[in-house]
Amino acid sequence: MATITIDGQEVECRDGVTVLRAALEAGWDVPHYCYHPGMSVVASCRLCLMEMMMPNPQTGEMGWAPKLFPSCQTPVRNGMVVRFDSPKVHAAREQAMEYFLLNHPLDCPVCDQAGECWLQDYSLRFGRGYGRMLEAKHVNPKKNIGPRTLLYQDRCVLCSRCVRFCAEISGTRELCIVNRGHRCEIDVFEGIALDNKLQGNVVDICPVGALLDKDFLMQQRVWELQSAKSICPVCSAGCNIRIDHNRGRVWRLKPRYNDRVNDWWMCDDGRFGYKFIHDPRRLTRPQARRGNRLEPIAWRDVPEVVRFRLMQAVQQHSGQRTAVVLSPMMSCEEAWLLATLIRKAAPEAHLVLGHVPLTGDDEHFPVGCEPGNAKFTIRAEKCPNRRGVERVLKAAGGPTMDFQQFVSQATAGELSAAWVVGGYSNDWVTDELAAAAEKLTWLAVQDFFPSKLCEKADLVLPACSWAEREGSFVNHAGLLQAFDRAVQPPDGAQIDGQYLFELAGLVGVYSGGRVREMMASQDAGFAEVVEATPEPAFAH
Amino acid sequence: MGEPFEPVLLRNAGVADSRSIHTYRARGGYKALRKALEMGPEAIIAEVREANLRGRGGAGFPAGVKWGFLPPDRKVTYLCVNADEAEPCTFNNRVLIEQDPHQLIEGMLIAGLATRTTTAYVYLRVEYHEPFHILQKAVDEAYAAGLLGRNILGSDFSMECIIHRGAGAYVCGEETGLIESIEGKRGWPRIKPPFPAISGLFGKPTVVNNVETLCCLPHIIERGAEWFGSIGTPGSAGPKLYCVSGHVKRPGCYEAPLGLAVRELIEDEQFAQGMRDGRRIKAVNPGGFSVGWLTADELDMKMDFDDPRDYGLLGLGTAAIVVMDDQTDMREVLLNVTRFFAHESCGQCTQCREGTEWMYKVASRLAAGAGRSEDLDLLAEITQTMGMMPGLSICGLSDGAAYAVRSIATKFRAEFKEHIRRQTPGRAEQVMRQTNPALYDRAMGRQTQSAG
């Protein structure tokens, strides 16, 4: 621990941090662009300048040094005395803000960043409110630098965060700076586009509106958006994210800081992987088989149908010929509700961990690094909650089998009733599974999209996407992380937790926290929800 | 000045075949190296410290002290020879390399010996095509003669020498910009600390010395620190090459002790021999663009490491004296200077990147006869907020730009005012609106109001 004095106040800070970091953590509002806690320090924006007490070289007396120091580059030393609140520092900031806006087009009305722009914020807080350059602005070009990203160089403040991100985090080094002086531009090398799986992060870390996401371009004004804390469901990494939504629609996903999981980053697979939510083909209503046809039924009839038909199947064929497939796309709460329900009705029924999609190997970043040194990893396991469902199965006890066994036993005619939960964002039903389903006398399917399996089902229930649900996932490392609901499910659909709640005979409105309390009585591990470390406000 | 100065650094200049190793040796070359090999690193550093050899690149940092910053337990040391010579109107390194390349190699070897250098990189200005070939030939000769490479002159000292040509950036004359450039990167100066002595080229301890600094070394070793100290003034010892150019009768590179008055260098018969065509002096730039400018009344300034500060200049700089006669339009001078810095700012630090360009825009307008008297205050303010206060940028380029512009805009303010007074009224607004239509929406003082 070191103790330093900032603006006359003593501040305790960790050893080895820079003065900027210490000041920001202690609540000082120090402007900065190039500094990002996740990347190397370049000290080039010269906005976080401070004054420092130094001994006078002649007399040895302590006094304010005539020089300004970049606080992002100055490590703390015990007993150090610095100040940000001084006329010299204020003047330097004011002037720096004028410089930043000198060639900036001031096109806030058409800029996506407006509302969350650090040029706007700092101009307001530290700027002067007017510029004195009368000549025409130098206009740097707008460029298409990759399949998903645009660069409006005229808005750029050359903090070089994006360049450092590609060099230090993704390791793909597509971006560079070309030209000199005010003609400096961020650019890609000829023939190489900004096209890596982490590239979306450069848009997040751009403090201004220079790097733009084509997907979000001109879609929404950011002040209209509401945010929900969530966990990315695309792979088992469990990246902490924020869902930005407005009027029932998800517009973009942004990473949330969590130093145990994803730091400041998320991958493009996750970032753009939410589009299936608004797919018009998705199932929205419960359906039951009447003769050869599936016909819509009312939600209030569902418990009746399930209880009656499932119990009938259990009684007719003994519980051993019944299997329930819990999808790794389910939250822990939903899996627990369903497992508990089944265990009550048929203690000898088989509980099955559903299909776990795998794609290739884990991808570590920076590209080519040893897994141990990775700064970011995209997991091969493309589902959010395998470990959570496994934990639920363990807590529920009783007979279990794996998914492959389920398919082969069903194919062999050893099973007569099954309840299969899907919820995948793609068509996951294999021909083998569809053929196996033929052999079942009663089949309930809960899924997201209509599939070959639904065609064979006696009861079809629509699943909701994670953005419409709340609950928790256990990531690859065993961390239990809760996520909130962002948007309402489409008309006709009901969130999975709610009807499972009702099926289980519980009264009231489903809430993830309430179910987790019940779960914790069975397995105390379910009480240990990992909260993301509060994101330092300065990590913009 | 009385007696002509006996040339030291230019001892071999003008001698027939002065570039060859044979001529250099015949005239006493490489004797200092043998002596240095006997002395050993400690004694060399002590001698150079005693001689108070200050860096000739511009900043004047004592070379012996700089070497002392190297960590004692290092395995690899690099020596970077700064031959980028990018300061406008400076050409003394060129003369030294063209006339006497072996003197530089001997200086490099002595510095290398003192710092236990394993490889020396000569960072050569790319425009210097002929000096490159001359120096490369001399390096080859030195390798053939066993003066470079393994076990130099039979000792256990080994040093390689590589000539690395730049790509035409002024900022690569800054020592960390130079290091980045040798590493094959963009020539963006590094943040310090760590200083190059701790972590420089390829992350190893590195010394960066100017060509002229190194060329002094053989003479210091051979003739001693006391002799070296007897030349020049107490704080600024030794011989110096002055590059005099501009509207003088005899422009050229002259050797003389440090501490001569500017007037002497311009008017003395040994040096530039006064003004061309009987003109009067208007302005003098005594050390490369970045130190600033003197008026005709300030020619008594001594060319040493301390006196220029009293005249509002940044320092001695490269001691390249550019003389302007009374026909020179200072608006054009300002335009030229601001264009140079706007073109050469590397773009890393905000204040320098934007400030240099802004000054160029203002200077262009002044030169086009569309100035306002506020522009002079504005220029002075920009210089204050982009460079005069240290700490606003990573390297000294913005300081140099600020000193240059500030001295022109303040010392020649009356001339600028006079030009503005003679302009057609409203010209500034008219011209600005032609280039920036946005200004139609903006009130710009009395004239705008009467027009609107």
Side-chain angles (χ1 to χ4, degrees):
Chain A
M1 288 292 269
T3 307
I4 67 170
T5 308
I6 307 174
D7 291 335
Q9 292 181 41
E10 290 210 340
V11 173
E12 294 266 308
C13 42
R14 291 173 285 129
D15 285 319
V17 299
T18 60
V19 176
L20 176 65
R21 183 78 195 242
L24 292 168
E25 282 179 5
W28 262 262
D29 183 13
V30 185
H32 59 279
Y33 287 129
C34 65
Y35 173 77
H36 188 286
M39 292 183 289
S40 62
V41 169
V42 291
S44 68
C45 74
R46 299 273 145 177
L47 202 49
C48 66
L49 297 172
M50 63 174 183
E51 282 193 85
M52 188 155 66
M53 279 268 201
M54 295 269 257
N56 184 315
Q58 266 92 49
T59 61
E61 222 174 289
M62 291 299 279
W64 297 110
K67 185 179 164 162
L68 291 173
F69 298 85
S71 59
C72 65
Q73 189 206 333
T74 313
V76 295
R77 271 178 288 107
N78 205 14
M80 187 182 225
V81 181
V82 302
R83 64 175 177 187
F84 291 100
D85 191 9
S86 78
K88 218 169 169 178
V89 172
H90 289 302
R93 284 176 185 171
E94 269 190 3
Q95 191 56 52
M97 288 320 299
E98 183 173 2
Y99 284 133
F100 278 119
L101 294 178
L102 217 53
N103 290 307
H104 187 277
L106 303 176
D107 57 348
C108 306
V110 294
C111 178
D112 274 341
Q113 189 84 2
E116 51 180 20
C117 172
W118 293 92
L119 258 177
Q120 288 184 330
D121 291 7
Y122 287 165
S123 294
L124 186 70
R125 266 143 55 188
F126 309 107
R128 206 183 263 139
Y130 59 88
R132 289 167 298 167
M133 190 178 80
L134 299 173
E135 290 77 12
K137 289 170 188 281
H138 177 86
V139 182
N140 276 314
K142 296 175 166 64
K143 286 181 281 201
N144 183 4
I145 56 168
R148 289 190 181 278
T149 310
L150 288 174
L151 170 66
Y152 280 26
Q153 183 62 41
D154 50 353
R155 295 176 185 159
C156 176
V157 293
L158 279 171
C159 65
S160 82
R161 282 179 173 192
C162 51
V163 178
R164 278 176 283 150
F165 179 86
C166 290
E168 295 168 18
I169 311 295
S170 74
T172 45
R173 296 179 180 275
E174 294 103 334
L175 292 179
C176 64
I177 294 176
V178 297
N179 297 345
R180 263 196 329 234
H182 66 282
R183 288 153 289 122
C184 269
E185 287 173 33
I186 308 290
D187 210 343
V188 283
F189 291 102
E190 208 174 310
I192 301 170
L194 175 66
D195 190 10
N196 65 64
K197 282 202 165 178
L198 300 188
Q199 64 85 32
N201 292 293
V202 300
V203 179
D204 299 341
I205 56 176
C206 182
V208 300
L211 283 161
L212 300 162
D213 186 347
K214 286 183 191 172
D215 191 58
F216 187 67
L217 190 70
M218 313 280 182
Q219 293 295 314
Q220 288 283 299
R221 302 307 332 220
V222 295
W223 53 85
E224 308 269 351
L225 296 174
Q226 287 148 295
S227 298
K229 284 182 178 180
S230 189
I231 302 295
C232 178
V234 170
C235 79
S236 61
C239 290
N240 291 212
I241 58 164
R242 195 181 84 206
I243 300 178
D244 284 353
H245 59 95
N246 181 23
R247 292 168 195 245
R249 220 186 127 164
V250 177
W251 291 99
R252 63 175 185 187
L253 306 187
K254 290 270 182 188
R256 265 187 308 140
Y257 175 68
N258 187 336
D259 59 351
R260 294 174 70 181
V261 183
N262 56 323
D263 288 345
W264 296 265
W265 325 120
M266 72 183 290
C267 72
D268 278 9
D269 293 351
R271 187 183 297 270
F272 303 109
Y274 69 89
K275 297 298 173 79
F276 70 95
I277 301 176
H278 303 301
D279 194 315
R281 291 169 301 169
R282 62 183 277 192
L283 295 166
T284 54
R285 310 182 71 175
Q287 292 162 290
R289 187 165 298 281
R290 296 234 167 88
N292 283 333
R293 287 193 312 133
L294 279 171
E295 282 179 11
I297 58 167
W299 273 107
R300 64 173 180 275
D301 299 334
V302 169
E304 195 75 12
V305 172
V306 168
R307 250 177 245 135
F308 179 70
R309 298 297 303 275
L310 186 65
M311 290 322 291
Q312 200 180 29
V314 169
Q315 276 159 16
Q316 276 175 5
H317 308 286
S318 95
Q320 283 167 11
R321 289 179 63 85
T322 305
V324 174
V325 178
L326 302 175
S327 160
M329 306 301 283
M330 297 170 94
S331 71
C332 298
E333 293 77 1
E334 291 149 6
W336 184 82
L337 283 172
L338 184 55
T340 314
L341 175 79
I342 297 300
R343 272 286 165 268
K344 235 183 238 165
E348 65 279 29
H350 296 278
L351 291 180
V352 183
L353 168 67
H355 166 62
V356 175
L358 287 171
T359 314
D361 295 317
D362 288 355
E363 293 172 76
H364 300 286
F365 295 91
V367 165
C369 74
E370 291 296 316
N373 302 331
K375 292 189 173 143
F376 190 86
T377 303
I378 301 174
R379 301 285 157 188
E381 194 176 289
K382 301 297 179 199
C383 57
N385 201 27
R386 175 182 59 83
R387 292 197 57 166
V389 172
E390 280 174 355
R391 209 145 126 187
V392 166
L393 294 183
K394 207 168 153 210
T400 57
M401 60 168 88
D402 68 25
F403 188 65
Q404 207 43 53
Q405 273 175 320
F406 164 75
V407 175
S408 49
Q409 288 208 12
T411 310
E414 291 164 22
L415 296 173
S416 48
W419 181 329
V420 178
V421 181
Y424 304 93
S425 59
N426 55 357
D427 182 15
W428 63 286
V429 179
T430 58
D431 290 338
E432 197 191 358
L433 177 62
E438 295 270 15
K439 306 276 173 69
L440 297 164
T441 48
W442 188 76
L443 172 67
V445 174
Q446 186 200 341
D447 209 348
F448 204 79
F449 286 114
S451 67
K452 284 172 282 188
L453 203 59
C454 298
E455 291 161 19
K456 316 250 161 30
D458 298 282
L459 176 66
V460 176
L461 296 167
C464 286
S465 76
W466 98 107
E468 293 145 359
R469 293 160 20 210
E470 62 175 293
S472 59
F473 292 144
V474 177
N475 81 343
H476 74 100
L479 299 180
L480 179 74
Q481 305 188 100
F483 58 94
D484 291 343
R485 180 195 305 186
V487 289
Q488 292 293 326
D491 272 358
Q494 194 176 19
I495 60 165
D496 313 11
Q498 184 62 42
Y499 81 80
L500 288 170
F501 203 67
E502 286 166 19
L503 268 181
L506 297 163
V507 180
V509 178
Y510 163 80
S511 103
R514 207 174 137 195
V515 178
R516 272 199 300 283
E517 270 171 36
M518 295 188 254
M519 292 158 74
S521 63
Q522 216 174 64
D523 176 352
F526 284 115
E528 291 161 18
V529 177
V530 175
E531 282 301 327
T533 30
E535 180 177 10
F538 52 83
H540 69 71
Chain B
M1 186 161 168
E3 283 295 297
F5 177 68
E6 180 219 328
V8 179
L9 303 173
L10 296 183
R11 201 167 56 98
N12 295 333
V15 172
D17 203 17
S18 68
R19 298 157 181 176
S20 82
I21 192 165
H22 307 295
T23 317
Y24 187 67
R25 275 192 157 148
R27 293 177 61 83
Y30 289 116
K31 266 192 207 158
L33 176 62
R34 284 180 197 280
K35 190 174 169 192
L37 282 167
E38 284 163 23
M39 286 164 74
E42 307 311 319
I44 299 172
I45 294 176
E47 192 76 24
V48 173
R49 268 191 203 219
E50 204 197 321
N52 191 19
L53 171 62
R54 295 177 67 171
R56 300 306 201 232
F61 197 80
V65 177
K66 202 177 201 178
W67 297 346
F69 293 147
L70 292 165
D73 56 343
R74 63 193 187 276
K75 295 268 185 308
V76 177
T77 314
Y78 293 120
L79 171 67
C80 293
V81 181
N82 190 343
D84 191 51
E85 193 154 68
E87 193 66 42
C89 311
T90 307
F91 41 89
N92 57 33
N93 293 356
R94 174 178 172 178
V95 171
L96 286 168
I97 293 170
E98 282 184 351
Q99 297 292 326
D100 205 356
H102 282 283
Q103 177 177 251
L104 171 61
I105 294 172
E106 190 173 7
M108 274 158 52
L109 283 162
I110 293 167
L113 192 54
T115 56
R116 308 207 306 265
T117 291
T118 38
T119 306
Y121 288 85
V122 182
Y123 189 86
L124 190 67
R125 181 185 167 91
V126 70
E127 291 90 339
Y128 283 180
H129 300 291
E130 209 187 328
F132 166 68
H133 294 295
I134 292 166
L135 186 60
Q136 186 62 59
K137 188 162 173 250
V139 167
D140 294 343
E141 280 177 342
Y143 266 106
L147 291 160
L148 280 170
R150 301 211 65 78
N151 300 87
I152 290 162
L153 295 178
S155 69
D156 57 358
F157 171 56
S158 304
M159 185 177 101
E160 304 293 327
C161 176
I162 295 164
I163 303 176
H164 183 102
R165 304 184 72 185
Y170 175 66
V171 79
C172 290
E174 200 274 349
E175 57 180 19
T176 52
L178 182 150
I179 286 169
E180 289 276 297
S181 179
I182 294 180
E183 286 184 1
K185 301 178 190 151
R186 200 177 155 74
W188 272 16
R190 291 181 184 172
I191 49 175
K192 289 144 253 180
F195 288 92
I198 307 299
S199 173
L201 186 60
F202 305 117
K204 296 285 187 287
T206 303
V207 175
V208 185
N209 282 139
N210 180 261
V211 167
E212 197 182 345
T213 316
L214 294 173
C215 287
C216 291
L217 292 175
H219 307 287
I220 293 173
I221 296 302
E222 207 178 327
R223 298 163 85 166
E226 204 174 314
W227 161 83
F228 192 81
S230 72
I231 304 170
T233 61
S236 311
K240 178 84 190 86
L241 297 189
Y242 298 96
C243 309
V244 190
S245 59
H247 303 144
V248 291
K249 278 198 189 125
R250 201 174 68 125
C253 178
Y254 303 104
E255 185 171 7
L258 272 167
L260 253 57
V262 176
R263 189 188 303 284
E264 217 171 329
L265 285 156
I266 297 170
E267 288 172 359
D268 198 284
E269 282 304 304
Q270 296 170 49
F271 306 120
Q273 298 180 348
M275 297 299 285
R276 218 161 54 184
D277 307 330
R279 300 250 170 241
R280 281 181 299 116
I281 298 175
K282 183 189 230 174
V284 175
N285 168 225
F289 275 8
S290 54
V291 299
W293 293 68
L294 297 174
T295 63
D297 303 330
E298 297 174 317
L299 301 183
D300 294 323
M301 190 192 86
K302 299 270 183 290
M303 295 292 284
D304 62 23
F305 289 109
D306 307 308
D307 207 30
R309 290 186 202 280
D310 296 340
Y311 289 83
L313 303 186
L314 183 59
L316 176 66
T318 59
I321 298 173
V322 188
V323 187
M324 302 282 159
D325 70 15
D326 51 3
Q327 288 192 326
T328 314
D329 185 343
M330 289 314 285
R331 297 179 300 178
E332 295 293 330
V333 174
L334 182 67
L335 180 64
N336 195 339
V337 167
T338 51
R339 181 175 54 206
F340 175 76
F341 286 110
H343 184 251
E344 294 297 346
S345 168
C346 79
Q348 194 173 195
C349 307
T350 311
Q351 282 84 345
C352 177
R353 175 180 71 234
E354 305 295 341
T356 49
E357 191 231 355
W358 191 2
M359 294 196 299
Y360 173 50
K361 282 180 176 167
V362 175
S364 310
R365 193 157 43 75
L366 287 169
R372 306 171 303 165
S373 50
E374 306 96 280
D375 289 336
L376 299 171
D377 302 325
L378 182 61
L379 276 177
E381 196 193 322
I382 299 173
T383 59
Q384 203 76 47
T385 51
M386 69 163 280
M388 310 284 288
M389 187 200 304
L392 290 174
S393 54
I394 291 171
C395 80
L397 193 147
S398 62
D399 302 332
Y403 271 89
V405 173
R406 190 179 182 79
S407 60
I408 297 172
T410 54
K411 290 182 179 177
F412 300 91
R413 191 181 170 94
E415 183 186 331
F416 283 99
K417 283 263 204 197
E418 181 59 19
H419 281 300
I420 292 165
R421 200 181 59 78
R422 285 203 217 136
Q423 281 166 201
T424 327
R427 180 79 183 132
E429 284 75 5
Q430 206 183 341
V431 168
M432 283 186 284
R433 281 175 173 166
Q434 278 166 5
T435 55
N436 187 5
L439 291 176
Y440 277 104
D441 302 335
R442 189 147 147 185
M444 282 192 300
R446 192 171 46 81
Q447 266 161 8
T448 321
Q449 279 159 16
S450 63

